[in-house]
Amino acid sequence: MSSKPRDKRTSIEDVVASLEDGMTIGIGGWGPRRKPMALIRAIRNSDLKDLTIVSWGGADVGLLARAGKIRKLVYAFVSLDSVPLEPNFQKARQEKSIPEIVEIDEGMFQTGLLAASQRMPFLPMRAGLGSDVLVNNPDIKTVASPYPDADGEFEKFTAVPALRLDVALIHMNRADQHGNASYLGPDPYFDDLFAMAADRVFVTTEQIVDTAGLTVDTPVQRVLINRIMVDGVVETPNGAHFTTCTPDYERDEKFQKAYAAAAKDDESWAAFEARFLNGDEAAYQSAVQEFHAQEENK
Amino acid sequence: MNDATRAEVCAAAIADAFKDDGEIFGSPMGMLPMLGVRLAKLTSNPDLVISDGEALFLGGVPPLFAKGDVIEGWIPFRRVFDVIAYGRRHVMMGATQVDKHGNQNISAIGDFAQPKRQLLGSRGAPGNTVNNRTSYWVPKHSDRVFVEHVDIVSGVGPKRAKEAGIGASKYNDIHRIVSNLAVFDVKGADDTVRLLSVHPGVTVDEVRANTGFELAIEGDVPETRLPTLEELTIIREVLDPKKLRDREVPPVQAAAS
């Protein structure tokens, strides 16, 4: 018997095959940053349907919304940053094609993941009080403090419900085959919280390295994800494209522009899908290379 | 003679919104707010803590969109939420709509169930407004932005905060609304938006005509102060030599009168 922890390496296809219709899927990263886009593209091309998506939304939400995969969306914003409004998300909202919409405050989103990660049904906070977040989500309740404040008042807070996930999908700069994983950019985002809020966790990564390699050239504090949280690891170089994966690569602004422009009408979207999205990940990556070669020659 | 442009007047007005904040995190959303906060740090409030808008607290005060040299701390997104709850932060946000009671909307225009125009989503506005000092920046003042009632309440004004109870109102602090025409607070009667000053070259009637609700106005409304020569030098030679500010607030000829 091996003296090492188990090898969790798997493939994009096997991860997607293990997902089921109606699941609640949390997607790590933030807006147009370090998104597990290779998995998103594969889900888009799968038969999966009626998904609940929980995301600090970027093109992950846009792609899945345009493909009609989302039955329920939980978000605080959806943005591509340099393109402020995500056109596919906008279209879905304005055409009411996502049946259930849960728009909450950003801090509530974090608190909901935190509650789930702590196996609490809710956690209290102030965010939401007085805003239409509580009007548009009437199932979110408030809770009174059992302790008086300095003036003897019993304050009332938002009881943020846990955002429990069936599956979390995250993309990290480096991982080992056992599921330990590190981010090398400036921001961890909330990927560890997504992982701990989920029953199952899949990590895609730029590069699988030996465990010793995780800390050979970077502080141990960057190893955000521990293998106790992880079920499967997939090596997907450039797998966060066209979002950032700092410092391995920055956002592909040219491609993002092309994406946003294509989303504006059905005909150009169909052409964009045919050129980039309808094949597998290898086909996508080579189509992106070709796109840049053509851009250079312009 | 002072030849300050409208954008420079706005930058100084934004800087003034941060001048009495002391040693807190000044958190601007957008270009003019970033310029104003950095101007405040170089003039009226050197204790302000500023970030690169991403994950780092900056030790120096770099020009707009330049890389900072000295880093004095780490403020990834998750810690922003910690600081919001901690309270030592003043955010200046955008506002697609602001209403008579200082409620703000960045979520969507129209009916929430099927908006005419989906915007960003409420982002951190609900949490900001019940936790830390919050101001708004409106680069194009019009009656489409300043409306009687916002379609969706993202940021909570003082009246709604009070109605929601002490948990919401205890730290609600809507400090300033700065537009390309004027400066406001929300301290009119019944917690309404009050006109504090009009920018040089702008009349009170012009502000009224471009505002979709009855403004609270008390006595004679002063002019927004002009930036000092020191401030103009900092804006023009240090913070924004490429005049990016003029793209957000174009120069106004009438202001020179």
Side-chain angles (χ1 to χ4, degrees), chain A residues 30 106-107 110 187 190, chain B residues 25 27 29 51 53-57 74-87 89 91 124 128 132:
Chain A
W30 168 278
E106 285 174 346
Q110 181 193 32
D187 200 316
F190 303 84
Chain B
F25 176 21
S27 186
M29 309 283 163
S51 81
E54 301 267 348
L56 306 173
F57 280 137
W74 189 51
I75 185 76
F77 289 116
R78 59 173 60 196
R79 291 192 72 172
V80 173
F81 302 128
D82 294 343
V83 178
I84 290 169
Y86 177 57
R89 176 172 181 265
V91 61
N128 287 338
N132 61 207

PDB file of all heavy atoms in Angstrom, chain A residues 30 106-107 110 187 190, chain B residues 25 27 29 51 53-57 74-87 89 91 124 128 132:
ATOM      1  N   TRP A  30     -13.679  35.595  -9.039  1.00  0.00           N
ATOM      2  CA  TRP A  30     -14.392  36.845  -8.752  1.00  0.00           C
ATOM      3  C   TRP A  30     -14.595  37.583 -10.068  1.00  0.00           C
ATOM      4  O   TRP A  30     -13.601  37.995 -10.699  1.00  0.00           O
ATOM      5  CB  TRP A  30     -13.542  37.683  -7.783  1.00  0.00           C
ATOM      6  CG  TRP A  30     -13.971  39.096  -7.589  1.00  0.00           C
ATOM      7  CD1 TRP A  30     -13.679  40.153  -8.399  1.00  0.00           C
ATOM      8  CD2 TRP A  30     -14.752  39.622  -6.506  1.00  0.00           C
ATOM      9  NE1 TRP A  30     -14.234  41.306  -7.880  1.00  0.00           N
ATOM     10  CE2 TRP A  30     -14.892  41.020  -6.711  1.00  0.00           C
ATOM     11  CE3 TRP A  30     -15.343  39.062  -5.363  1.00  0.00           C
ATOM     12  CZ2 TRP A  30     -15.597  41.851  -5.847  1.00  0.00           C
ATOM     13  CZ3 TRP A  30     -16.037  39.889  -4.496  1.00  0.00           C
ATOM     14  CH2 TRP A  30     -16.158  41.261  -4.729  1.00  0.00           C
ATOM     15  N   GLU A 106     -22.975  41.781  -1.510  1.00  0.00           N
ATOM     16  CA  GLU A 106     -21.691  41.053  -1.570  1.00  0.00           C
ATOM     17  C   GLU A 106     -21.284  40.464  -0.221  1.00  0.00           C
ATOM     18  O   GLU A 106     -20.809  39.338  -0.131  1.00  0.00           O
ATOM     19  CB  GLU A 106     -20.576  41.999  -2.024  1.00  0.00           C
ATOM     20  CG  GLU A 106     -20.601  42.336  -3.494  1.00  0.00           C
ATOM     21  CD  GLU A 106     -19.568  43.392  -3.855  1.00  0.00           C
ATOM     22  OE1 GLU A 106     -19.025  44.053  -2.952  1.00  0.00           O
ATOM     23  OE2 GLU A 106     -19.307  43.568  -5.046  1.00  0.00           O
ATOM     24  N   GLY A 107     -21.429  41.260   0.802  1.00  0.00           N
ATOM     25  CA  GLY A 107     -21.070  40.776   2.139  1.00  0.00           C
ATOM     26  C   GLY A 107     -21.978  39.639   2.583  1.00  0.00           C
ATOM     27  O   GLY A 107     -21.542  38.696   3.254  1.00  0.00           O
ATOM     28  N   GLN A 110     -20.700  36.441   1.025  1.00  0.00           N
ATOM     29  CA  GLN A 110     -19.585  35.871   1.789  1.00  0.00           C
ATOM     30  C   GLN A 110     -20.090  35.218   3.079  1.00  0.00           C
ATOM     31  O   GLN A 110     -19.664  34.121   3.441  1.00  0.00           O
ATOM     32  CB  GLN A 110     -18.577  36.977   2.129  1.00  0.00           C
ATOM     33  CG  GLN A 110     -17.368  36.457   2.895  1.00  0.00           C
ATOM     34  CD  GLN A 110     -16.537  37.587   3.497  1.00  0.00           C
ATOM     35  OE1 GLN A 110     -17.064  38.638   3.878  1.00  0.00           O
ATOM     36  NE2 GLN A 110     -15.244  37.372   3.581  1.00  0.00           N
ATOM     37  N   ASP A 187      -4.795  38.028  -4.677  1.00  0.00           N
ATOM     38  CA  ASP A 187      -6.076  37.877  -3.975  1.00  0.00           C
ATOM     39  C   ASP A 187      -6.537  36.423  -3.969  1.00  0.00           C
ATOM     40  O   ASP A 187      -6.606  35.797  -5.029  1.00  0.00           O
ATOM     41  CB  ASP A 187      -7.127  38.759  -4.677  1.00  0.00           C
ATOM     42  CG  ASP A 187      -8.323  39.075  -3.782  1.00  0.00           C
ATOM     43  OD1 ASP A 187      -8.812  38.139  -3.105  1.00  0.00           O
ATOM     44  OD2 ASP A 187      -8.756  40.236  -3.756  1.00  0.00           O
ATOM     45  N   PHE A 190     -12.518  33.861  -2.689  1.00  0.00           N
ATOM     46  CA  PHE A 190     -13.230  33.155  -1.619  1.00  0.00           C
ATOM     47  C   PHE A 190     -13.201  31.656  -1.851  1.00  0.00           C
ATOM     48  O   PHE A 190     -14.086  30.939  -1.401  1.00  0.00           O
ATOM     49  CB  PHE A 190     -14.674  33.681  -1.558  1.00  0.00           C
ATOM     50  CG  PHE A 190     -14.719  35.177  -1.348  1.00  0.00           C
ATOM     51  CD1 PHE A 190     -14.608  36.047  -2.420  1.00  0.00           C
ATOM     52  CD2 PHE A 190     -14.805  35.705  -0.074  1.00  0.00           C
ATOM     53  CE1 PHE A 190     -14.602  37.424  -2.222  1.00  0.00           C
ATOM     54  CE2 PHE A 190     -14.798  37.081   0.129  1.00  0.00           C
ATOM     55  CZ  PHE A 190     -14.696  37.941  -0.942  1.00  0.00           C
TER      56      PHE A 190
ATOM     57  N   PHE B  25     -10.075  53.909   5.886  1.00  0.00           N
ATOM     58  CA  PHE B  25      -9.897  53.448   4.506  1.00  0.00           C
ATOM     59  C   PHE B  25     -10.810  54.272   3.596  1.00  0.00           C
ATOM     60  O   PHE B  25     -12.026  54.158   3.673  1.00  0.00           O
ATOM     61  CB  PHE B  25     -10.218  51.955   4.447  1.00  0.00           C
ATOM     62  CG  PHE B  25     -10.171  51.327   3.077  1.00  0.00           C
ATOM     63  CD1 PHE B  25      -9.463  51.902   2.028  1.00  0.00           C
ATOM     64  CD2 PHE B  25     -10.822  50.119   2.846  1.00  0.00           C
ATOM     65  CE1 PHE B  25      -9.416  51.306   0.772  1.00  0.00           C
ATOM     66  CE2 PHE B  25     -10.785  49.512   1.592  1.00  0.00           C
ATOM     67  CZ  PHE B  25     -10.086  50.116   0.558  1.00  0.00           C
ATOM     68  N   SER B  27     -12.316  54.714   0.142  1.00  0.00           N
ATOM     69  CA  SER B  27     -12.526  53.686  -0.881  1.00  0.00           C
ATOM     70  C   SER B  27     -13.358  54.230  -2.035  1.00  0.00           C
ATOM     71  O   SER B  27     -14.572  54.238  -1.977  1.00  0.00           O
ATOM     72  CB  SER B  27     -13.229  52.498  -0.212  1.00  0.00           C
ATOM     73  OG  SER B  27     -13.343  51.424  -1.088  1.00  0.00           O
ATOM     74  N   MET B  29     -14.966  54.442  -5.860  1.00  0.00           N
ATOM     75  CA  MET B  29     -15.345  53.643  -7.025  1.00  0.00           C
ATOM     76  C   MET B  29     -15.401  54.599  -8.216  1.00  0.00           C
ATOM     77  O   MET B  29     -16.217  55.505  -8.238  1.00  0.00           O
ATOM     78  CB  MET B  29     -16.732  53.019  -6.831  1.00  0.00           C
ATOM     79  CG  MET B  29     -16.906  52.267  -5.532  1.00  0.00           C
ATOM     80  SD  MET B  29     -16.114  50.654  -5.573  1.00  0.00           S
ATOM     81  CE  MET B  29     -16.029  50.268  -3.832  1.00  0.00           C
ATOM     82  N   SER B  51      -6.140  52.368  -1.409  1.00  0.00           N
ATOM     83  CA  SER B  51      -5.762  51.082  -2.005  1.00  0.00           C
ATOM     84  C   SER B  51      -5.578  51.238  -3.509  1.00  0.00           C
ATOM     85  O   SER B  51      -5.873  52.288  -4.073  1.00  0.00           O
ATOM     86  CB  SER B  51      -6.836  50.027  -1.728  1.00  0.00           C
ATOM     87  OG  SER B  51      -7.908  50.174  -2.638  1.00  0.00           O
ATOM     88  N   GLY B  53      -7.345  49.637  -5.470  1.00  0.00           N
ATOM     89  CA  GLY B  53      -8.627  49.203  -6.017  1.00  0.00           C
ATOM     90  C   GLY B  53      -8.668  47.691  -6.228  1.00  0.00           C
ATOM     91  O   GLY B  53      -9.675  47.147  -6.655  1.00  0.00           O
ATOM     92  N   GLU B  54      -7.556  47.026  -5.953  1.00  0.00           N
ATOM     93  CA  GLU B  54      -7.508  45.570  -6.077  1.00  0.00           C
ATOM     94  C   GLU B  54      -7.262  44.979  -4.705  1.00  0.00           C
ATOM     95  O   GLU B  54      -8.190  44.916  -3.904  1.00  0.00           O
ATOM     96  CB  GLU B  54      -6.405  45.160  -7.055  1.00  0.00           C
ATOM     97  CG  GLU B  54      -6.585  45.726  -8.443  1.00  0.00           C
ATOM     98  CD  GLU B  54      -7.340  44.773  -9.358  1.00  0.00           C
ATOM     99  OE1 GLU B  54      -7.521  43.607  -8.980  1.00  0.00           O
ATOM    100  OE2 GLU B  54      -7.745  45.199 -10.432  1.00  0.00           O
ATOM    101  N   ALA B  55      -6.022  44.638  -4.406  1.00  0.00           N
ATOM    102  CA  ALA B  55      -5.765  43.883  -3.182  1.00  0.00           C
ATOM    103  C   ALA B  55      -4.730  44.524  -2.267  1.00  0.00           C
ATOM    104  O   ALA B  55      -4.365  43.932  -1.261  1.00  0.00           O
ATOM    105  CB  ALA B  55      -5.316  42.469  -3.551  1.00  0.00           C
ATOM    106  N   LEU B  56      -4.239  45.730  -2.611  1.00  0.00           N
ATOM    107  CA  LEU B  56      -3.120  46.296  -1.851  1.00  0.00           C
ATOM    108  C   LEU B  56      -3.456  47.670  -1.273  1.00  0.00           C
ATOM    109  O   LEU B  56      -4.075  48.500  -1.941  1.00  0.00           O
ATOM    110  CB  LEU B  56      -1.892  46.434  -2.766  1.00  0.00           C
ATOM    111  CG  LEU B  56      -1.459  45.162  -3.489  1.00  0.00           C
ATOM    112  CD1 LEU B  56      -0.345  45.473  -4.484  1.00  0.00           C
ATOM    113  CD2 LEU B  56      -1.025  44.082  -2.506  1.00  0.00           C
ATOM    114  N   PHE B  57      -3.022  47.903  -0.027  1.00  0.00           N
ATOM    115  CA  PHE B  57      -3.000  49.254   0.523  1.00  0.00           C
ATOM    116  C   PHE B  57      -1.706  49.931   0.058  1.00  0.00           C
ATOM    117  O   PHE B  57      -0.624  49.355   0.165  1.00  0.00           O
ATOM    118  CB  PHE B  57      -3.015  49.225   2.059  1.00  0.00           C
ATOM    119  CG  PHE B  57      -4.382  48.998   2.667  1.00  0.00           C
ATOM    120  CD1 PHE B  57      -4.531  48.117   3.738  1.00  0.00           C
ATOM    121  CD2 PHE B  57      -5.504  49.676   2.200  1.00  0.00           C
ATOM    122  CE1 PHE B  57      -5.778  47.915   4.325  1.00  0.00           C
ATOM    123  CE2 PHE B  57      -6.754  49.486   2.787  1.00  0.00           C
ATOM    124  CZ  PHE B  57      -6.888  48.598   3.848  1.00  0.00           C
ATOM    125  N   TRP B  74      -2.470  44.651   2.975  1.00  0.00           N
ATOM    126  CA  TRP B  74      -3.158  43.696   2.104  1.00  0.00           C
ATOM    127  C   TRP B  74      -4.652  43.837   2.318  1.00  0.00           C
ATOM    128  O   TRP B  74      -5.119  43.744   3.453  1.00  0.00           O
ATOM    129  CB  TRP B  74      -2.681  42.297   2.478  1.00  0.00           C
ATOM    130  CG  TRP B  74      -3.108  41.195   1.581  1.00  0.00           C
ATOM    131  CD1 TRP B  74      -2.998  41.138   0.226  1.00  0.00           C
ATOM    132  CD2 TRP B  74      -3.692  39.944   1.999  1.00  0.00           C
ATOM    133  NE1 TRP B  74      -3.479  39.931  -0.232  1.00  0.00           N
ATOM    134  CE2 TRP B  74      -3.905  39.184   0.818  1.00  0.00           C
ATOM    135  CE3 TRP B  74      -4.036  39.388   3.223  1.00  0.00           C
ATOM    136  CZ2 TRP B  74      -4.468  37.896   0.846  1.00  0.00           C
ATOM    137  CZ3 TRP B  74      -4.584  38.110   3.260  1.00  0.00           C
ATOM    138  CH2 TRP B  74      -4.791  37.377   2.076  1.00  0.00           C
ATOM    139  N   ILE B  75      -5.377  44.101   1.256  1.00  0.00           N
ATOM    140  CA  ILE B  75      -6.817  44.278   1.351  1.00  0.00           C
ATOM    141  C   ILE B  75      -7.514  43.515   0.217  1.00  0.00           C
ATOM    142  O   ILE B  75      -8.122  44.110  -0.683  1.00  0.00           O
ATOM    143  CB  ILE B  75      -7.180  45.788   1.419  1.00  0.00           C
ATOM    144  CG1 ILE B  75      -8.669  46.019   1.638  1.00  0.00           C
ATOM    145  CG2 ILE B  75      -6.666  46.562   0.185  1.00  0.00           C
ATOM    146  CD1 ILE B  75      -9.145  45.784   3.039  1.00  0.00           C
ATOM    147  N   PRO B  76      -7.387  42.183   0.221  1.00  0.00           N
ATOM    148  CA  PRO B  76      -8.119  41.399  -0.782  1.00  0.00           C
ATOM    149  C   PRO B  76      -9.624  41.572  -0.548  1.00  0.00           C
ATOM    150  O   PRO B  76     -10.036  42.062   0.500  1.00  0.00           O
ATOM    151  CB  PRO B  76      -7.665  39.974  -0.518  1.00  0.00           C
ATOM    152  CG  PRO B  76      -7.340  39.954   0.937  1.00  0.00           C
ATOM    153  CD  PRO B  76      -6.754  41.302   1.222  1.00  0.00           C
ATOM    154  N   PHE B  77     -10.433  41.161  -1.514  1.00  0.00           N
ATOM    155  CA  PHE B  77     -11.872  41.408  -1.437  1.00  0.00           C
ATOM    156  C   PHE B  77     -12.469  40.927  -0.111  1.00  0.00           C
ATOM    157  O   PHE B  77     -13.301  41.597   0.489  1.00  0.00           O
ATOM    158  CB  PHE B  77     -12.599  40.747  -2.609  1.00  0.00           C
ATOM    159  CG  PHE B  77     -12.328  41.441  -3.908  1.00  0.00           C
ATOM    160  CD1 PHE B  77     -11.674  40.795  -4.938  1.00  0.00           C
ATOM    161  CD2 PHE B  77     -12.725  42.757  -4.108  1.00  0.00           C
ATOM    162  CE1 PHE B  77     -11.431  41.441  -6.149  1.00  0.00           C
ATOM    163  CE2 PHE B  77     -12.482  43.410  -5.312  1.00  0.00           C
ATOM    164  CZ  PHE B  77     -11.827  42.746  -6.328  1.00  0.00           C
ATOM    165  N   ARG B  78     -12.035  39.773   0.366  1.00  0.00           N
ATOM    166  CA  ARG B  78     -12.635  39.243   1.588  1.00  0.00           C
ATOM    167  C   ARG B  78     -12.377  40.170   2.777  1.00  0.00           C
ATOM    168  O   ARG B  78     -13.214  40.276   3.664  1.00  0.00           O
ATOM    169  CB  ARG B  78     -12.095  37.846   1.888  1.00  0.00           C
ATOM    170  CG  ARG B  78     -10.568  37.812   2.050  1.00  0.00           C
ATOM    171  CD  ARG B  78     -10.096  36.442   2.503  1.00  0.00           C
ATOM    172  NE  ARG B  78     -10.456  35.405   1.531  1.00  0.00           N
ATOM    173  CZ  ARG B  78     -10.448  34.111   1.802  1.00  0.00           C
ATOM    174  NH1 ARG B  78     -10.119  33.675   2.992  1.00  0.00           N
ATOM    175  NH2 ARG B  78     -10.777  33.244   0.877  1.00  0.00           N
ATOM    176  N   ARG B  79     -11.236  40.857   2.786  1.00  0.00           N
ATOM    177  CA  ARG B  79     -10.956  41.741   3.924  1.00  0.00           C
ATOM    178  C   ARG B  79     -11.668  43.080   3.794  1.00  0.00           C
ATOM    179  O   ARG B  79     -11.854  43.774   4.781  1.00  0.00           O
ATOM    180  CB  ARG B  79      -9.450  41.914   4.094  1.00  0.00           C
ATOM    181  CG  ARG B  79      -8.823  40.603   4.558  1.00  0.00           C
ATOM    182  CD  ARG B  79      -7.413  40.748   5.023  1.00  0.00           C
ATOM    183  NE  ARG B  79      -7.304  41.435   6.290  1.00  0.00           N
ATOM    184  CZ  ARG B  79      -6.158  41.539   6.963  1.00  0.00           C
ATOM    185  NH1 ARG B  79      -5.068  41.003   6.485  1.00  0.00           N
ATOM    186  NH2 ARG B  79      -6.118  42.186   8.101  1.00  0.00           N
ATOM    187  N   VAL B  80     -12.046  43.430   2.561  1.00  0.00           N
ATOM    188  CA  VAL B  80     -12.889  44.626   2.408  1.00  0.00           C
ATOM    189  C   VAL B  80     -14.163  44.447   3.231  1.00  0.00           C
ATOM    190  O   VAL B  80     -14.590  45.357   3.948  1.00  0.00           O
ATOM    191  CB  VAL B  80     -13.223  44.889   0.929  1.00  0.00           C
ATOM    192  CG1 VAL B  80     -14.233  46.030   0.801  1.00  0.00           C
ATOM    193  CG2 VAL B  80     -11.955  45.223   0.145  1.00  0.00           C
ATOM    194  N   PHE B  81     -14.756  43.251   3.166  1.00  0.00           N
ATOM    195  CA  PHE B  81     -16.000  43.033   3.912  1.00  0.00           C
ATOM    196  C   PHE B  81     -15.768  43.078   5.416  1.00  0.00           C
ATOM    197  O   PHE B  81     -16.627  43.512   6.177  1.00  0.00           O
ATOM    198  CB  PHE B  81     -16.662  41.724   3.484  1.00  0.00           C
ATOM    199  CG  PHE B  81     -16.966  41.696   2.018  1.00  0.00           C
ATOM    200  CD1 PHE B  81     -16.545  40.652   1.227  1.00  0.00           C
ATOM    201  CD2 PHE B  81     -17.641  42.756   1.421  1.00  0.00           C
ATOM    202  CE1 PHE B  81     -16.792  40.654  -0.140  1.00  0.00           C
ATOM    203  CE2 PHE B  81     -17.898  42.765   0.058  1.00  0.00           C
ATOM    204  CZ  PHE B  81     -17.469  41.703  -0.720  1.00  0.00           C
ATOM    205  N   ASP B  82     -14.589  42.648   5.842  1.00  0.00           N
ATOM    206  CA  ASP B  82     -14.249  42.771   7.266  1.00  0.00           C
ATOM    207  C   ASP B  82     -14.193  44.240   7.670  1.00  0.00           C
ATOM    208  O   ASP B  82     -14.683  44.629   8.729  1.00  0.00           O
ATOM    209  CB  ASP B  82     -12.882  42.131   7.573  1.00  0.00           C
ATOM    210  CG  ASP B  82     -12.895  40.626   7.367  1.00  0.00           C
ATOM    211  OD1 ASP B  82     -13.993  40.039   7.311  1.00  0.00           O
ATOM    212  OD2 ASP B  82     -11.799  40.038   7.251  1.00  0.00           O
ATOM    213  N   VAL B  83     -13.563  45.062   6.812  1.00  0.00           N
ATOM    214  CA  VAL B  83     -13.408  46.480   7.152  1.00  0.00           C
ATOM    215  C   VAL B  83     -14.758  47.204   7.096  1.00  0.00           C
ATOM    216  O   VAL B  83     -15.015  48.107   7.899  1.00  0.00           O
ATOM    217  CB  VAL B  83     -12.365  47.166   6.236  1.00  0.00           C
ATOM    218  CG1 VAL B  83     -12.245  48.650   6.558  1.00  0.00           C
ATOM    219  CG2 VAL B  83     -10.996  46.494   6.392  1.00  0.00           C
ATOM    220  N   ILE B  84     -15.625  46.800   6.178  1.00  0.00           N
ATOM    221  CA  ILE B  84     -16.965  47.391   6.126  1.00  0.00           C
ATOM    222  C   ILE B  84     -17.669  47.173   7.473  1.00  0.00           C
ATOM    223  O   ILE B  84     -18.216  48.115   8.060  1.00  0.00           O
ATOM    224  CB  ILE B  84     -17.796  46.779   4.972  1.00  0.00           C
ATOM    225  CG1 ILE B  84     -17.237  47.246   3.623  1.00  0.00           C
ATOM    226  CG2 ILE B  84     -19.271  47.149   5.097  1.00  0.00           C
ATOM    227  CD1 ILE B  84     -17.798  46.497   2.425  1.00  0.00           C
ATOM    228  N   ALA B  85     -17.628  45.959   7.962  1.00  0.00           N
ATOM    229  CA  ALA B  85     -18.288  45.666   9.241  1.00  0.00           C
ATOM    230  C   ALA B  85     -17.577  46.353  10.413  1.00  0.00           C
ATOM    231  O   ALA B  85     -18.206  46.774  11.374  1.00  0.00           O
ATOM    232  CB  ALA B  85     -18.336  44.152   9.463  1.00  0.00           C
ATOM    233  N   TYR B  86     -16.279  46.493  10.298  1.00  0.00           N
ATOM    234  CA  TYR B  86     -15.456  47.171  11.306  1.00  0.00           C
ATOM    235  C   TYR B  86     -15.773  48.670  11.324  1.00  0.00           C
ATOM    236  O   TYR B  86     -15.723  49.317  12.382  1.00  0.00           O
ATOM    237  CB  TYR B  86     -13.999  46.912  10.930  1.00  0.00           C
ATOM    238  CG  TYR B  86     -12.895  47.540  11.729  1.00  0.00           C
ATOM    239  CD1 TYR B  86     -12.781  47.339  13.106  1.00  0.00           C
ATOM    240  CD2 TYR B  86     -11.904  48.277  11.069  1.00  0.00           C
ATOM    241  CE1 TYR B  86     -11.707  47.900  13.801  1.00  0.00           C
ATOM    242  CE2 TYR B  86     -10.839  48.828  11.759  1.00  0.00           C
ATOM    243  CZ  TYR B  86     -10.755  48.637  13.124  1.00  0.00           C
ATOM    244  OH  TYR B  86      -9.698  49.179  13.805  1.00  0.00           O
ATOM    245  N   GLY B  87     -16.104  49.210  10.166  1.00  0.00           N
ATOM    246  CA  GLY B  87     -16.646  50.567  10.109  1.00  0.00           C
ATOM    247  C   GLY B  87     -15.677  51.668   9.744  1.00  0.00           C
ATOM    248  O   GLY B  87     -16.105  52.767   9.425  1.00  0.00           O
ATOM    249  N   ARG B  89     -14.173  52.967   7.344  1.00  0.00           N
ATOM    250  CA  ARG B  89     -14.113  53.046   5.891  1.00  0.00           C
ATOM    251  C   ARG B  89     -15.122  54.086   5.422  1.00  0.00           C
ATOM    252  O   ARG B  89     -16.190  54.227   6.020  1.00  0.00           O
ATOM    253  CB  ARG B  89     -14.453  51.681   5.288  1.00  0.00           C
ATOM    254  CG  ARG B  89     -14.534  51.628   3.757  1.00  0.00           C
ATOM    255  CD  ARG B  89     -14.679  50.167   3.332  1.00  0.00           C
ATOM    256  NE  ARG B  89     -14.755  49.971   1.897  1.00  0.00           N
ATOM    257  CZ  ARG B  89     -15.888  49.868   1.212  1.00  0.00           C
ATOM    258  NH1 ARG B  89     -17.044  49.976   1.816  1.00  0.00           N
ATOM    259  NH2 ARG B  89     -15.866  49.650  -0.091  1.00  0.00           N
ATOM    260  N   VAL B  91     -16.747  54.923   1.731  1.00  0.00           N
ATOM    261  CA  VAL B  91     -16.803  54.543   0.322  1.00  0.00           C
ATOM    262  C   VAL B  91     -17.543  55.628  -0.447  1.00  0.00           C
ATOM    263  O   VAL B  91     -18.521  56.185   0.032  1.00  0.00           O
ATOM    264  CB  VAL B  91     -17.488  53.166   0.149  1.00  0.00           C
ATOM    265  CG1 VAL B  91     -18.920  53.189   0.644  1.00  0.00           C
ATOM    266  CG2 VAL B  91     -17.450  52.700  -1.306  1.00  0.00           C
ATOM    267  N   GLY B 124     -21.995  45.806  -3.106  1.00  0.00           N
ATOM    268  CA  GLY B 124     -21.893  45.941  -1.655  1.00  0.00           C
ATOM    269  C   GLY B 124     -22.726  47.074  -1.085  1.00  0.00           C
ATOM    270  O   GLY B 124     -22.597  47.396   0.098  1.00  0.00           O
ATOM    271  N   ASN B 128     -22.630  48.415   2.671  1.00  0.00           N
ATOM    272  CA  ASN B 128     -21.918  49.677   2.893  1.00  0.00           C
ATOM    273  C   ASN B 128     -22.763  50.650   3.702  1.00  0.00           C
ATOM    274  O   ASN B 128     -22.311  51.267   4.656  1.00  0.00           O
ATOM    275  CB  ASN B 128     -21.583  50.356   1.556  1.00  0.00           C
ATOM    276  CG  ASN B 128     -20.460  49.662   0.806  1.00  0.00           C
ATOM    277  OD1 ASN B 128     -19.652  48.940   1.402  1.00  0.00           O
ATOM    278  ND2 ASN B 128     -20.409  49.871  -0.484  1.00  0.00           N
ATOM    279  N   ASN B 132     -20.782  51.607   7.109  1.00  0.00           N
ATOM    280  CA  ASN B 132     -19.727  52.632   7.106  1.00  0.00           C
ATOM    281  C   ASN B 132     -20.196  53.867   6.342  1.00  0.00           C
ATOM    282  O   ASN B 132     -21.221  53.853   5.658  1.00  0.00           O
ATOM    283  CB  ASN B 132     -18.405  52.089   6.562  1.00  0.00           C
ATOM    284  CG  ASN B 132     -18.433  51.590   5.130  1.00  0.00           C
ATOM    285  OD1 ASN B 132     -17.657  50.730   4.747  1.00  0.00           O
ATOM    286  ND2 ASN B 132     -19.320  52.119   4.299  1.00  0.00           N
TER     287      ASN B 132
END
